[in-house]
């Protein structure tokens, strides 16, 4: 079955702009979570959605937001971009049959560069 | 809040050498434990997981990990590494008080196996 699909794979923005990233989870999975990966901070949890409801949020400023649609697809948005937002943004799919809490399937990521 | 500590940031081994990567977490309650791996140019994927039962768990490609509750540790081992094991390895925790898809990751260990 198809894996987690993230679009776009690469994008370049300038400071002050905003960006929207999209994620399609594995069919049948009800949970989508987002992580930011940088060389300095590693993998950091952004937020988690389950059946369209945000269930948990990491320690990021309000410029980072997200949502999940009825078909489980998710988007995350970053407004007023800063240089430090340059990172690989990973979407993870979970909550499927025969999976346990924390057992996630990751997409290839969206690499954001802020100039 | 929980945290995860990985003992080594970089490890260099020759093929056939034994591997042990240390991981400790801080959380007093019930946890699910994971090792994820990121091969060069590939997405993050699950290597092995512990939920309950036998504290010695086996994963893909000959990897195993042992959960020692008294030491809050979940060390990864492999008796004989191969060049294809070159990758970055992440220890992760899902705590019972966090979201279903919320993982706290360690900083990662980059393993380089020389042929």
């Amino acid at each position: 079955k198809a894996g987690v699909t993230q679009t776009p794979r690469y994008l370049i923005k300038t400071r002050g702009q905003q960006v929207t990233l999209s994620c399609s989870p594995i069919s049948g999975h009800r949970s989508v979570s987002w992580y930011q990966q940088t060389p300095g901070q590693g993998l950091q949890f952004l937020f988690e959605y389950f059946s369209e409801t945000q269930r948990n949020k990491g320690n990021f400023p309000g410029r980072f937001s997200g949502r999940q649609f009825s078909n489980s697809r998710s988007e995350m948005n970053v407004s007023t971009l800063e240089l430090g937002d340059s990172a690989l943004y990973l979407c993870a799919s979970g909550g499927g049959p025969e999976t346990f809490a924390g057992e996630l399937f990751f997409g290839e990521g969206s690499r954001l560069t802020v100039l | 809040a929980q945290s995860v500590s990985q003992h080594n940031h970089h490890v260099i081994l020759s093929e056939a050498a034994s591997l042990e990567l240390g991981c400790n977490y801080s959380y007093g309650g019930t946890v699910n434990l994971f090792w994820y791996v990121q091969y060069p140019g590939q997405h993050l994927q699950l290597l092995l997981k512990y939920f309950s039962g036998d504290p010695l768990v086996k994963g893909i490609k000959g990897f195993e990990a042992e959960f020692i509750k008294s030491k809050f540790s979940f060390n990864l081992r492999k008796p004989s590494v191969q060049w294809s094991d070159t990758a970055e390895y992440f220890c992760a925790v899902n705590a019972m008080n966090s979201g279903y898809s919320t993982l706290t990751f360690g900083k990662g260990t980059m393993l380089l196996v020389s042929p």
Side-chain angles (χ1 to χ4, degrees):
Chain A
K1 60 184 174 183
V4 179
T5 303
Q6 291 188 244
T7 57
R9 291 289 314 281
Y10 302 90
L11 63 166
I12 300 173
K13 294 285 186 179
T14 56
R15 280 181 297 174
Q17 287 188 310
Q18 67 127 23
V19 66
T20 299
L21 309 178
S22 180
C23 172
S24 293
I26 292 172
S27 178
H29 285 197
R30 296 164 63 189
S31 171
V32 171
S33 51
W34 290 87
Y35 292 81
Q36 183 195 64
Q37 186 176 20
T38 59
Q41 299 298 318
L43 284 152
Q44 294 186 287
F45 169 74
L46 280 157
F47 25 66
E48 168 189 340
Y49 290 87
F50 194 96
S51 296
E52 301 180 66
T53 301
Q54 187 180 88
R55 292 294 184 92
N56 199 11
K57 189 177 191 304
N59 189 26
F60 279 82
R63 300 185 296 106
F64 292 80
S65 63
R67 57 179 175 169
Q68 187 181 29
F69 302 96
S70 59
N71 60 358
S72 292
R73 192 177 69 85
S74 177
E75 288 181 349
M76 69 162 281
N77 184 77
V78 188
S79 62
T80 319
L81 284 166
E82 301 176 359
L83 294 179
D85 297 333
S86 294
L88 181 66
Y89 289 89
L90 296 175
C91 172
S93 170
E98 300 180 359
T99 64
F100 291 87
E103 186 174 358
L104 303 180
F105 299 82
F106 286 85
E108 293 184 312
S110 292
R111 185 166 295 281
L112 170 66
T113 301
V114 182
L115 302 175
Chain B
Q2 54 270 20
S3 65
V4 178
S5 174
Q6 291 185 234
H7 304 171
N8 308 95
H9 292 299
H10 293 89
V11 173
I12 301 174
L13 295 173
S14 299
E15 274 193 315
S18 64
L19 170 72
E20 180 158 3
L21 301 182
C23 172
N24 287 90
Y25 66 94
S26 66
Y27 180 69
T30 303
V31 293
N32 292 336
L33 297 162
F34 305 86
W35 278 94
Y36 282 84
V37 60
Q38 193 167 34
Y39 297 102
Q42 295 188 27
H43 62 278
L44 198 63
Q45 57 189 284
L46 182 65
L47 189 61
L48 48 73
K49 60 196 177 191
Y50 171 80
F51 299 108
S52 63
D54 188 344
L56 184 63
V57 292
K58 296 189 185 298
I60 61 173
K61 303 186 179 184
F63 285 91
E64 64 179 31
E66 183 176 15
F67 170 49
I68 302 179
K69 190 174 182 178
S70 61
K71 295 185 178 180
F72 297 90
S73 70
F74 190 54
N75 293 350
L76 180 70
R77 300 195 291 250
K78 186 172 184 179
S80 176
V81 295
Q82 300 174 311
W83 176 78
S84 58
D85 293 326
T86 294
E88 190 160 18
Y89 294 81
F90 295 92
C91 182
V93 167
N94 172 260
M96 292 302 286
N97 70 343
S98 68
Y100 186 90
S101 296
T102 303
L103 288 173
T104 301
F105 284 92
K107 293 288 191 184
T109 298
M110 181 67 73
L111 171 66
L112 176 62
V113 180
S114 58

